[in-house]
């Protein structure tokens, strides 16, 4: 019997959203407490990641000292891209630290443990781990935004909302690439490439891309919806554009969840005996 | 005296064998390197888009033409993608205690690592070099003023850049003797090499920063060799290669010193 046909699992899959949010909150608290157990290491990793990301400000400052503008992008616009990408990448990996490990876990038969637990397999799997250095990415993104754009509450609120949406979208794309392992075997190389594509495409001004690349940015590698559309909304707010963005974010989340559920039917146990404590 | 020479040759042959084995291993897993090479091509593609937008009116910026800046980036990215993982290798050996099994072997651990790193570096350098050459020739065209006769000199400067980076990373990796979590140092070093010459030539930095950067080793990992490729001059070659040799000697001595001190701290339990 395939794992996804398990009636018990179906029953658990229909458990209330509230209970799953409780589980998510518990994982978040637990993972943070685990990271804080080694406080020195935690702070070193967070600070190291902030310094690591900050290095690129020097690159852009040096470039814009010689070139006033690149298309309709100046230093502030590029810093917005960096702030949003860092914050959303950080948030995705704090909340769903396993999204980059799914391929390996499928191949090694590590899903068995999650299948036996009375919660949604997908959420349980991706939320059960957190990446410590991702706190540095999140902190850097917020710090950079506040430094460049100030504390204006509406703008800051919008930035936080974009961080959540773009974090979900970015996480969904990375997760979907990992889930391909169910269908094509080891997809970790594809996933690594997709992750690099998402990050690299989002960190440069939109105006440098032309022709078919622009189609890719609004479909397969949705860099456009991760940063470029949020930037346009930030520059000139419009409800329809915001609604479209939220719709696209949710569509990608649902698509990746659906892909996982379909793929899970093909999963075969690795007979791996494991414990989660 | 002949005994000393014979002993040195025997030792060189031993490490040569390690390097040859590592090269054979790397060739067996060349698919991994080809994948990296694909990503290298992607990064060059992004930079090509960026600089095409910047240079849409032609001219030159900070003394570089469109063609020069892109060939410069092809070289710096090629060198960066051809580096070895010596930091990670040393880190793992020290933290896992595996180093205890390597210390009692009939070789010097650091020289072994150096010889072992040669294989992946050479394979990556070759694959990325060919990829870079193909990309540059197809998308940018020939570099004005470039003469193939200078190729051996340019390869020497590039090899020095790779060795310099290898030794700097080895010094950082050896810090694992004292620190459980030393990745932040790697990030900081990596980003300093990014700022000082990888993404932009030093000429884009303010004058005061350029003066400081020219004294730092980071400039001789990427900037020095790439600058020689796009704007070669005899005096610049002598200056860059001399500074590279000095830093290589200094870092090799530093790595040896850190290693000797670190080994005294090893405390391995069990077996």
């Amino acid at each position: 019997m395939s794992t996804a046909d398990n009636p018990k699992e179906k029953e658990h899959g229909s458990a209330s959203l509230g209970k799953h949010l409780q589980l998510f909150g518990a994982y978040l608290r637990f993972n943070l407490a685990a990271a804080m157990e080694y406080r020195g290491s935690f702070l070193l990793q967070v600070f190291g990641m902030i310094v690591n990301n900050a290095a690129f400000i020097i690159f852009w400052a040096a470039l814009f000292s010689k070139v006033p503008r690149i298309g309709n992008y100046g230093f502030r616009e590029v810093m917005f891209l960096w702030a949003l990408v860092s914050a959303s990448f950080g948030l995705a990996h704090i909340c769903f630290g396993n999204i980059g490990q799914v391929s390996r876990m499928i191949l090694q038969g590590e899903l068995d443990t999650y299948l036996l637990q009375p919660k949604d397999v997908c959420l349980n799997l991706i939320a059960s781990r957190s990446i410590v250095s991702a706190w540095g990415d999140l902190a850097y993104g917020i710090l950079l935004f506040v430094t460049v754009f100030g504390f204006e509450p509406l703008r800051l609120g919008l930035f936080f909302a974009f961080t959540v949406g773009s974090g979900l979208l970015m996480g969904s794309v990375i997760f979907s690439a990992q889930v391909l392992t169910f269908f094509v075997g080891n997809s970790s190389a594809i996933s690594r490439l997709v992750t690099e594509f998402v990050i690299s495409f989002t960190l440069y001004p939109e105006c440098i891309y032309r022709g078919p690349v622009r189609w890719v940015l609004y479909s397969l590698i949705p860099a456009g919806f991760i940063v470029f559309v949020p930037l346009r909304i930030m520059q000139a707010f419009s409800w329809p554009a915001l609604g479209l963005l939220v719709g696209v974010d949710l569509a990608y989340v649902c698509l990746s969840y659906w892909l996982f559920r379909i793929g899970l039917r093909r999963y075969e146990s690795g007979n791996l005996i494991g414990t989660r404590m | 005296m002949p005994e000393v020479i014979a002993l040195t040759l025997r030792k060189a042959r031993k490490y040569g064998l390690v390097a040859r084995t590592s090269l054979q291993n790397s060739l067996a897993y060349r698919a991994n390197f080809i994948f990296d090479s694909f990503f290298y091509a992607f990064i060059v593609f992004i930079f090509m888009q960026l600089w095409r937008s910047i240079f849409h009116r032609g001219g030159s910026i900070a003394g570089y033409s469109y063609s020069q800046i892109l060939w410069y980036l092809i070289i710096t990215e090629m060198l960066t993608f051809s580096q070895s993982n010596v930091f990670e290798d040393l880190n793992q050996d020290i933290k896992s205690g595996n180093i205890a099994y390597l210390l009692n072997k009939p070789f010097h651990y650091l020289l072994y690592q150096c010889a072992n790193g040669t294989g992946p570096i050479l394979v990556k350098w070759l694959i990325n070099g060919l990829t870079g050459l193909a990309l540059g020739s197809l998308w940018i065209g020939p570099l004005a003023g470039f003469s193939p006769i200078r190729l051996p000199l340019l390869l020497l400067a590039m090899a020095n850049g790779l060795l310099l980076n290898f030794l700097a990373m080895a010094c950082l990796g050896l810090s694992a003797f004292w620190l459980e979590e030393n990745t932040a140092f790697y990030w900081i070093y990596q980003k300093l090499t990014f700022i000082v010459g990888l993404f932009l030539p030093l000429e884009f930095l303010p004058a005061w920063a350029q003066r400081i950067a020219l004294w730092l080793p980071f400039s001789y990992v990427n900037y020095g060799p790439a600058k020689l490729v796009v704007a070669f001059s005899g005096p610049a070659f002598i200056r860059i290669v001399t500074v590279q040799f000095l830093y290589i000697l200094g870092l090799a001595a530093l790595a040896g010193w850190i290693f000797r001190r670190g080994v005294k701290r090893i405390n391995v339990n069990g077996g």
Side-chain angles (χ1 to χ4, degrees), chain A:
Chain A
M1 185 174 69
S2 77
T3 48
D5 292 336
N6 187 335
K8 270 192 179 176
E9 207 219 333
K10 276 187 179 168
E11 185 190 322
H12 297 314
S14 61
S16 71
L17 181 68
K19 283 195 172 174
H20 281 97
L21 285 175
Q22 269 179 6
L23 173 77
F24 175 67
Y27 269 136
L28 210 56
R29 280 196 306 277
F30 173 78
N31 285 327
L32 182 61
M36 293 304 278
E37 177 76 19
Y38 301 99
R39 199 158 297 184
S41 174
F42 174 80
L43 291 174
L44 193 66
Q45 284 196 59
V46 169
F47 179 72
M49 189 51 82
I50 291 174
V51 173
N52 178 56
N53 293 346
F56 290 95
I57 298 177
I58 299 172
F59 162 72
W60 286 105
L63 183 59
F64 278 113
S65 71
K66 305 283 180 192
V67 182
R69 288 190 83 78
I70 302 169
N72 51 349
Y73 277 69
F75 183 71
R76 275 166 67 88
E77 286 77 14
V78 174
M79 287 304 104
F80 176 86
L81 303 184
W82 275 84
L84 185 54
V85 172
S86 299
S88 43
F89 182 87
L91 189 66
H93 285 82
I94 288 168
C95 298
F96 309 114
N98 261 342
I99 47 172
Q101 302 294 319
V102 174
S103 176
R104 181 188 57 76
M105 295 173 86
I106 296 168
L107 289 172
Q108 294 184 357
E110 289 179 26
L111 297 196
D112 296 17
T113 326
Y114 297 92
L115 288 165
L116 293 171
Q117 293 179 340
K119 285 288 178 280
D120 180 76
V121 184
C122 183
L123 181 72
N124 196 3
L125 169 69
I126 59 175
S128 60
R129 182 165 169 252
S130 181
I131 307 286
V132 176
S133 61
W135 286 97
D137 287 313
L138 179 64
Y140 171 77
I142 296 169
L143 273 173
L144 182 60
F145 182 84
V146 167
T147 309
V148 177
F149 294 92
F151 283 96
E152 208 240 305
L154 271 176
R155 211 177 247 188
L156 196 60
L158 205 52
F159 177 75
F160 285 138
F162 288 148
T163 301
V164 174
S166 299
L168 285 170
L169 180 51
M170 201 186 279
S172 302
V173 175
I174 297 169
F175 179 61
S176 300
Q178 292 272 329
V179 164
L180 286 179
T181 293
F182 282 128
F183 307 95
V184 298
N186 189 355
S187 71
S188 54
I190 299 172
S191 172
R192 204 179 118 211
L193 205 62
V194 166
T195 308
E196 297 291 356
F197 278 1
V198 168
I199 295 172
S200 303
F201 275 133
T202 47
L203 292 177
Y204 294 89
E206 185 181 9
C207 55
I208 70 168
Y209 306 112
R210 288 173 201 176
V213 180
R214 289 183 71 88
W215 286 97
V216 175
L217 296 183
Y218 285 92
S219 54
L220 203 59
I221 309 287
F225 295 109
I226 294 172
V227 281
F228 303 138
V229 173
L231 175 64
R232 284 204 286 273
I233 295 174
M234 185 71 93
Q235 286 168 331
F237 184 83
S238 103
W239 283 108
L242 187 65
L244 173 76
L245 184 63
V246 171
V248 169
D249 290 348
L250 289 176
Y252 273 90
V253 171
C254 293
L255 196 68
S256 67
Y257 182 79
W258 174 76
L259 202 63
F260 178 81
R261 298 295 300 181
I262 299 285
L264 197 57
R265 292 174 197 272
R266 305 164 72 103
Y267 177 69
E268 289 174 20
S269 165
N271 287 328
L272 182 76
I273 298 171
T275 53
R276 293 185 62 221
M277 293 183 284

Side-chain angles (χ1 to χ4, degrees), chain B residues 125-147:
Chain B
W125 195 13
L126 179 70
I127 295 174
N128 292 331
L130 292 173
T131 308
L133 193 65
L135 292 176
S137 307
L138 286 171
W139 288 349
I140 312 163
L143 182 65
F146 180 80
S147 166

Side-chain angles (χ1 to χ4, degrees), chain A residues 41 44-49 51-53 55-56 58-60 62-63 65-67 69-71 133 188-190 192-193 196-197 200-201 204-205 207-210 213, chain B residues 32 35-36 38-39 42-43 45-47 49-54 56 61-62 179-185 187-188 190-192 194-195 199-200 203-206 210:
Chain A
S41 174
L44 193 66
Q45 284 196 59
V46 169
F47 179 72
M49 189 51 82
V51 173
N52 178 56
N53 293 346
F56 290 95
I58 299 172
F59 162 72
W60 286 105
L63 183 59
S65 71
K66 305 283 180 192
V67 182
R69 288 190 83 78
I70 302 169
S133 61
S188 54
I190 299 172
R192 204 179 118 211
L193 205 62
E196 297 291 356
F197 278 1
S200 303
F201 275 133
Y204 294 89
C207 55
I208 70 168
Y209 306 112
R210 288 173 201 176
V213 180
Chain B
N32 293 344
F35 179 82
D36 280 348
F38 184 68
F39 184 54
F42 170 68
I43 294 293
F45 168 76
I46 295 258
F47 275 115
Q49 307 296 308
L50 177 69
W51 286 102
R52 193 184 56 188
S53 293
I54 293 171
H56 68 283
I61 300 169
L179 296 164
E180 178 67 25
E181 188 47 69
N182 58 351
T183 319
F185 295 128
W187 287 338
I188 292 168
Q190 192 195 36
K191 292 308 165 300
L192 281 168
F194 281 13
I195 298 164
F199 295 137
L200 285 174
E203 288 79 2
F204 279 75
L205 299 176
Q210 283 181 47

Side-chain angles (χ1 to χ4, degrees), chain B residues 209-223:
Chain B
Q210 283 181 47
R211 281 195 294 277
I212 296 170
L214 281 172
W215 286 97
L216 300 174
F218 317 107
S219 306
Y220 299 91
V221 173
N222 295 312
Y223 169 77

